Amino acid sequence: MSKVNIIYWSGTGNTESMAKLIAEGAKEKGAEVKLLNVSDAKDEDIKEADVVVLGSPSMGSEVIEESEMEPFVESISPIISGKKVALFGSYGWGDGEWMRNWVSQMDDSGANLVNDGLIVQEAPEGSSVEDCKNFGRELV
Ligand SMILES: Cc1cc2nc3c(=O)[nH]c(=O)nc-3n(C[C@H](O)[C@H](O)[C@H](O)COP(=O)(O)O)c2cc1C
């Protein structure tokens, strides 16, 4: 069974809602899914996963969250090489620049990115609910 570990940071719950929908989609396809707030995530959660899914909203000025997510992402760079990785997150008013930069940063770390990342404006609703579930389904 494919192990999908979803690790996210969320301030107001939008990225967390995305994470739950992605988990739902992956579970539907038979994956064993672990959903973790980044404050609870450990190296082992990266090492054991077949697919690592990382989520952060756009914060600061078009960057991932800086107090917990960025240090975690930095800390896993030695073990992320060759891993299947997918990124997602919510944003407010930008054009997704933070996600493009994050994708290219992970690419530089040697991660095997399985897609270009999923971005949703604020909370997932309407068609973006299905987009999140599909994103999860396609990871498996
Ligand atoms: C401090 C702060 C900085 C933000 N910076 C950006 C930004 O640069 N670009 C953008 O599109 N949205 C920005 N946002 C909006 C958030 O990305 C958006 O509200 C998102 O839905 C929050 O996700 P969350 O509920 O998972 O925390 C910012 C929000 C906050 C609180």
Side-chain angles (χ1 to χ4, degrees):
M1 190 188 287
S2 173
K3 269 180 187 269
V4 175
N5 288 358
I6 305 173
I7 299 167
Y8 65 91
W9 184 95
S10 185
T12 56
N14 298 334
T15 303
E16 182 174 38
S17 299
M18 291 179 74
K20 288 179 176 166
L21 292 164
I22 292 166
E24 211 179 300
K27 278 184 196 159
E28 247 178 52
K29 289 284 176 186
E32 184 185 324
V33 179
K34 211 191 239 186
L35 192 59
L36 288 166
N37 189 295
V38 67
S39 57
D40 300 321
K42 314 244 176 324
D43 277 6
E44 196 50 38
D45 299 311
I46 302 297
K47 289 181 186 158
E48 70 174 19
D50 297 307
V51 189
V52 174
V53 191
L54 302 174
S56 169
S58 177
M59 295 292 283
S61 182
E62 297 297 333
V63 290
I64 62 170
E65 192 276 328
E66 291 170 288
S67 69
E68 291 184 286
M69 200 68 201
E70 177 65 27
F72 180 74
V73 168
E74 283 294 320
S75 77
I76 61 173
S77 72
I79 54 172
I80 205 74
S81 188
K83 277 270 169 194
K84 280 191 180 175
V85 173
L87 307 178
F88 69 97
S90 175
Y91 69 101
W93 50 84
D95 70 349
E97 183 188 345
W98 105 102
M99 183 57 70
R100 294 193 295 278
N101 291 340
W102 193 13
V103 165
S104 96
Q105 179 197 339
M106 297 308 290
D107 199 31
D108 291 346
S109 300
N112 174 12
L113 288 152
V114 296
N115 54 44
D116 294 334
L118 175 66
I119 66 173
V120 166
Q121 192 169 28
E122 302 298 348
E125 52 187 22
S127 64
S128 57
V129 168
E130 205 51 29
D131 292 344
C132 291
K133 289 186 191 170
N134 277 335
F135 184 86
R137 290 178 187 122
E138 285 162 12
L139 297 173
V140 184

